[in-house]
Amino acid sequence: MVETDDRSFTVLGIETSCDDTAAAVIRRRADGACQVLSNEVWTDHGDHAAFGGIVPEIAARSHVERLDITVTKAMTVSGLSFDKIDAVAATAGPGLVGGVMVGLTTAKAIALAHTKTLIPVNHLEGHALSVRLTETAPFPYLLLLISGGHTQLIEVSGVGRYHRLGTTIDDAAGESFDKTAKLLGLGQPGGPRVESAAVGGRYDRFQFPKPLERRAGCDFSFSGLKTAVREAAASLDCPTAQDIADLAASFQYAAARHLTQRTEKAMAIAAPAEPKSRLVVAGGVAANCTVKKMLQDLCAAKSWDLSFPPAKYCTDNAAMIALAGAERLAVGLIPPQEEALAMAPRARWPLAPPPEGAEIGGGRKGPKA
Ligand code: KG4
Ligand code: ZN
């Protein structure tokens, strides 16, 4: 690969793969340091609440209504006009196709109207690189990506160079938080609701299973935990607020323990980095304090460096999409423009090819809850 990393790039990013309508402008300097000039996110949880999960059609309609305003705000806050940006990067998948189409089509229109480079971005690459918005996390690193649609362990050895070590065989980590929240009547978004409900709860009251405990490799499984929570809740006659807190705390602990145990296995497999190996955690579930604490303890025990992007860059945002575009510009990994402009939104788009014989993954299955 030819290194063309000799100048700075200013990129408008657009993210519409789920229920967040987001636009951001970032500048990546030639030395890799980044400045987030604006980072606008509009989240429309209200309209979905009555359905207990994200409804793709409602999300797509909300993106149509909000995206122009969000892009305008991102440009205004950045203090730049379109002629001062180098490129427009937009999520092209994986995600809910209706929403991705809104963002990608808007990006194409802006690129054509202002004669800018269009960069279709894999949403998972945005999460994988998001840590580099705020710190120098040199390649290679081991990535634990834990979001509403994905749970993966990936060796990241450079921009566009990803090797998958493990993935979930059923639910994603965030999905299991969302389903548990629904089961316990906590509402959505599930992750933060479970985390709040768990405050004051006893994590050791319910002994939930350790998924895949005797299975080699780094895959994950969350569906058994969800079933165990349902059975424990059903065994209580008329659950009190304390029962709900104990169930939430016990589930959260079991989920964090599972994530930590599988990560430990991946650490043993991942190629070591000099002078010190690094674990990077990204995706919405990385905002969870119990998950964070257990991974901190693991990294301290193994003498690994640990990076968590700030919470606003862990959950879906457009700064990470702009960054992925800027990083691609820096190393010359941009598709020919006729190809980029013809690209269709993708519901599925694995970041790293699955190991031989494994089931193809890398896409949201649909509404999260
Ligand atoms: O990365 P993200 O914003 O969107 C996807 O790409 O999926 O992740 C959203 C997921 C949701 O499932 C949400 O419940 C979960 O991240 N999440 C959390 C927390 N904050 C968000 N899970 C556990 N604890 C949290 N504090
Ligand atoms: Zn995401």
Side-chain angles (χ1 to χ4, degrees), residues 193-204:
R193 298 286 178 100
V194 170
E195 184 162 27
S196 304
V199 175
R202 277 173 44 208
Y203 75 91
D204 54 355

Side-chain angles (χ1 to χ4, degrees), residues 123 127 147-149 174 178 191-192 195 284-285 288 314-316 364 368:
H123 178 83
H127 280 302
S147 69
D178 294 336
E195 184 162 27
V285 185
N288 185 281
C314 278
T315 48
D316 284 351
R364 249 185 246 286
K368 278 193 234 174

Side-chain angles (χ1 to χ4, degrees), residues 2-7 9 328-333:
V2 185
E3 269 284 337
T4 56
D5 192 359
D6 57 355
R7 55 168 284 209
F9 293 105
R328 284 192 163 260
L329 276 171
V331 294
L333 269 180

